[in-house]
C-alpha cells in the first residue's frame, strides 16, 4: 500500500481536517466515503474563532507548520477555492505588563528567527496604528501576512467543490482489521463499511476509536460576538491578541493536575463590522454552556484593552471543545501497527489554520508522495501504547 495509490478511502469526521483530507484525496481520484457522527463542522470547526495565524504558535514544528498553513490559504484563495472566504490581515500581540512584555519580546524573537515578518510598535507609533487601544498598552508586535476564515464556510467550500457527500449521523464505532495488521474498514450502526484505507479525523471522537482517552483532552473554549460597530471596527488594523493568550496556550505534563481556567484575550474585527471576542481554555465542563464568570471576565478584559468596547452590545456567546494532546502537538500520520490506517487529530486551537495543509499532507502520505510538512514531530507512534492497534 505504501507505494501504490488506493482506490477507496473512508474518512471519519467532517470537521475542517476531515473535509480537507476528503477534498485532497478526491482530487487524486480516490473514492472517499466521509462518515460523520453528526453534521459537517458540528464540533470544534463550527465553534472556532478562525485565526489563520502564525502569531500564537509555539516556536518549533507548530510554527513551521502554521507558516505552511497560512501560505496554503493564500494559494487556495488565489486559485479560487477559498475566494471570498479568506480575510487577509495582521495580528497584533499586545503587552500591558512587565510579564507580558517579557513573554512577547521572546516570542517576537522566535517569530523573526522563523522568517516571519514582524514589527515592534511602542509609544506614538503604536497608538497611530492602533488608536483604540488603552493608553496602558506598552508594546505591540505586528505580525504581517496573517488572515481569518470561518471554519464552517471553509468546510462547505471543500465539500461542495467536488461534490463530496457526507454520511451524516453515521458514527464509526470501531476500526475493522485483519490478523495481518491491516485495516479493513469500520463498523457502523448501518453495518460494516470497507475501503483500501481508513483515515481518522474525528476530533475528540478519535480518542475512543484509538483508545487514547488519557492522551486526547477535550479543551473547552467560550467566545462572544458583539453587534456591528463599523466605526470602531475600522479603527482595528487587524486582530488584537493579549500577551496573556500566549501564556494560556500551554500544555500539560502527564499526571499533572487539571489547570485552572485559562483566559487569553483575542479581539477579532469581523468583515461584518462585529467583533469576535474570546476566549477560555478549560479542561472540564459542558461544551454547550457559557457561564457568567467566563463571559464577564472576557468582557472586562476586552474593555480594559479597548475602552470604547464598553459602548458595544454583546449579541451572543457560544462554546466548543478543542482536541488537545498531552504534549501539545497534534497526531498526524500512520496508526501504529496498521499500514493503511491514518490519523489526524489533536489540533487544539490551531486546526482552522492547519486544517487545509494537514488535509493535503495526509493525502500525500496516503498516496506515497513527499509530505508538504515534516510529520516526524507529529508521529502518532509516540503514544503507541494507547493505540487501538498496539
Ligand atoms: C473556542 C474555539 C476557538 C478556536 N479558535 C481557533 C482559531 O482562531 N484558529 C484556529 O486555527 N483554530 C481555532 N480553534 C481550533 C479549531 O476549531 C480546531 O482545531 C479544528 O476545528 C479541529 O478540526 P477537526 O476537524 O480536527 O475536529 P472537529 O471540528 O471537532 O471535527 C471532528 C468531527 O468528527 C466527528 N466525529 C467524532 N467522532 C466520530 C465518529 N466516531 N464517527 C464519525 N464522525 C465522528 C464530529 O462530529 C466532528 O464533526 C478554536 C476552537 C475553539 C473551540
Amino acid at each position: 500500500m505504501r507505494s501504490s495509490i488506493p482506490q477507496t478511502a473512508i474518512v471519519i469526521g467532517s470537521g475542517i481536517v476531515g473535509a480537507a483530507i476528503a477534498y485532497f484525496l478526491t482530487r487524486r481520484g480516490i473514492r472517499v466515503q466521509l462518515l460523520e457522527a453528526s453534521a459537517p463542522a458540528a464540533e470544534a470547526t463550527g465553534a472556532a474563532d478562525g485565526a489563520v495565524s502564525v502569531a500564537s504558535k509555539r516556536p518549533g514544528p507548530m510554527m513551521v507548520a502554521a507558516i505552511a498553513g497560512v501560505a496554503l490559504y493564500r494559494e487556495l484563495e488565489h486559485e479560487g477555492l477559498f475566494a471570498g472566504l479568506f480575510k487577509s490581515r495582521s495580528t497584533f500581540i499586545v503587552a500591558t505588563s512587565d510579564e507580558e512584555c517579557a513573554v512577547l519580546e521572546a516570542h517576537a524573537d522566535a517569530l523573526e528567527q522563523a522568517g516571519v515578518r514582524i514589527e515592534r510598535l511602542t509609544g506614538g507609533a503604536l497608538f497611530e496604528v492602533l488608536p483604540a487601544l488603552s493608553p496602558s498598552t506598552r508594546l505591540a508586535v505586528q505580525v504581517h501576512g496573517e488572515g481569518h476564515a470561518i471554519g464552517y464556510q471553509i468546510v462547505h467550500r471543500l465539500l461542495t467543490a467536488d461534490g463530496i457527500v457526507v454520511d451524516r449521523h453515521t458514527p464509526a464505532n470501531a476500526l475493522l482489521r485483519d490478523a495481518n495488521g491491516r485495516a479493513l474498514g469500520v463498523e457502523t450502526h448501518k453495518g460494516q463499511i470497507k475501503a483500501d484505507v481508513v483515515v481518522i479525523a474525528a476530533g475528540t471522537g478519535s480518542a475512543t476509536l484509538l483508545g487514547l482517552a488519557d492522551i486526547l483532552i477535550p479543551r473547552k473554549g467560550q467566545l462572544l460576538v458583539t453587534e456591528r460597530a463599523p466605526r470602531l471596527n475600522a479603527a482595528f488594523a487587524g486582530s488584537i491578541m493579549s500577551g496573556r493568550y500566549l501564556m494560556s496556550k500551554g500544555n500539560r505534563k502527564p499526571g499533572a493536575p487539571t489547570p485552572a481556567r485559562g483566559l487569553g484575550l483575542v479581539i477579532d474585527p469581523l468583515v461584518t463590522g462585529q467583533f469576535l471576542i474570546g476566549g477560555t481554555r478549560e479542561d472540564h465542563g459542558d461544551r454547550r454552556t457559557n457561564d457568567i464568570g467566563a463571559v464577564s471576565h472576557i468582557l472586562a478584559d476586552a474593555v480594559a484593552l479597548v475602552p470604547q468596547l464598553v459602548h458595544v452590545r454583546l449579541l451572543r456567546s457560544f462554546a466548543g471543545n478543542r482536541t488537545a494532546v498531552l504534549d501539545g502537538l497534534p497526531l498526524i500520520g500512520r496508526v501504529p501497527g496498521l499500514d493503511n490506517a491514518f490519523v489526524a487529530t489533536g489540533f487544539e486551537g490551531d486546526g482552522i489554520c492547519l486544517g487545509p495543509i494537514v488535509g493535503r499532507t495526509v493525502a500525500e502520505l496516503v498516496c506515497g508522495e513527499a509530505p508538504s510538512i515534516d510529520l516526524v514531530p507529529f508521529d502518532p507512534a509516540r503514544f503507541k501504547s494507547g493505540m487501538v492497534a498496539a
Side-chain angles (χ1 to χ4, degrees):
M1 185 60 60
R2 276 174 202 249
S3 53
S4 65
I5 297 179
Q7 295 188 338
T8 58
I10 294 168
V11 177
I12 305 172
S14 64
I16 193 165
V17 176
I21 293 168
Y23 171 82
F24 284 105
L25 287 176
T26 304
R27 284 271 140 155
R28 282 163 172 74
I30 297 170
R31 261 183 296 124
V32 174
Q33 185 151 11
L34 182 51
L35 303 181
E36 169 53 55
S38 170
E43 293 293 332
T45 300
D49 173 347
V52 178
S53 164
V54 181
S56 67
K57 303 301 177 280
R58 282 196 292 154
M62 289 301 275
M63 197 176 269
V64 172
I67 291 171
V70 176
L72 183 59
Y73 265 90
R74 287 197 186 288
E75 187 184 317
L76 296 178
E77 185 201 26
H78 186 69
E79 283 177 10
L81 181 69
F82 288 172
L85 300 188
F86 178 65
K87 180 193 174 191
S88 207
R89 57 143 173 77
S90 292
T91 302
F92 295 87
I93 318 176
V94 301
T96 54
S97 66
D98 286 346
E99 192 189 10
E100 283 186 2
C101 282
V103 170
L104 185 47
E105 283 288 4
H107 194 66
D109 290 346
L111 285 164
E112 270 182 325
Q113 278 160 25
V116 179
R117 192 178 148 226
I118 63 151
E119 262 172 87
R120 290 172 172 82
L121 301 170
T122 53
L126 195 168
F127 296 104
E128 207 168 292
V129 178
L130 297 168
L133 281 184
S134 147
S136 64
T137 313
R138 290 170 39 189
L139 169 68
V141 170
Q142 178 172 11
V143 185
H144 291 273
E146 308 248 301
H148 188 265
I150 307 286
Y152 58 83
Q153 293 180 348
I154 296 292
V155 167
H156 182 259
R157 196 61 71 80
L158 288 166
L159 296 179
T160 52
D162 286 324
I164 297 169
V165 176
V166 180
D167 284 330
R168 294 170 177 236
H169 307 292
T170 310
N173 296 325
L175 289 188
L176 299 168
R177 53 188 167 141
D178 65 15
N180 303 319
R182 286 190 61 78
L184 300 172
V186 298
E187 186 75 55
T188 74
H189 67 272
K190 295 174 181 168
Q192 296 185 348
I193 302 174
K194 302 211 170 165
D196 295 336
V197 298
V198 178
V199 187
I200 300 169
T204 54
S206 311
T208 313
L209 290 167
L210 292 166
L212 290 180
D214 295 339
I215 306 294
L216 294 177
I217 307 152
R219 183 164 292 160
K220 175 175 166 174
Q222 303 190 44
L223 291 177
L224 315 178
V225 182
T226 73
E227 66 177 342
R228 288 166 202 247
R231 198 174 300 169
L232 184 58
N233 189 295
F236 276 60
S239 80
I240 309 290
M241 181 186 291
S242 73
R244 194 143 43 88
Y245 182 91
L246 299 175
M247 297 185 247
S248 77
K249 246 186 147 185
N251 52 325
R252 255 168 68 187
K253 297 267 178 304
T258 302
R261 172 154 65 198
L263 276 162
L265 185 67
V266 178
I267 306 174
D268 223 321
L270 301 178
V271 283
T272 55
Q274 296 167 286
F275 290 97
L276 206 156
I277 308 177
T280 61
R281 286 190 144 71
E282 306 163 66
D283 287 4
H284 53 81
D286 183 336
R287 74 169 177 88
R288 286 170 296 256
T289 58
N290 290 97
D291 64 89
I292 192 69
V295 172
S296 54
H297 202 140
I298 295 168
L299 286 176
D301 281 1
V303 170
L305 197 58
V306 178
Q308 288 177 62
L309 275 174
V310 79
H311 304 296
V312 181
R313 282 180 303 174
L314 175 65
L315 270 195
R316 66 184 181 96
S317 59
F318 60 96
N321 263 343
R322 312 169 183 92
T323 307
V325 182
L326 217 49
D327 66 359
L329 296 174
L331 306 179
I332 315 170
R334 278 199 169 74
V335 175
L338 287 178
D339 207 28
N340 60 333
F342 303 83
V343 56
T345 190
F347 297 95
E348 218 267 7
D350 303 318
I352 303 302
C353 175
L354 296 179
I357 190 69
V358 168
R360 186 162 85 177
T361 306
V362 170
E364 290 161 347
L365 190 63
V366 167
C367 294
E369 301 166 27
S372 289
I373 55 171
D374 179 14
L375 292 179
V376 172
F378 310 127
D379 189 351
R382 67 193 193 274
F383 295 118
K384 200 171 176 178
S385 60
M387 290 279 172
V388 69

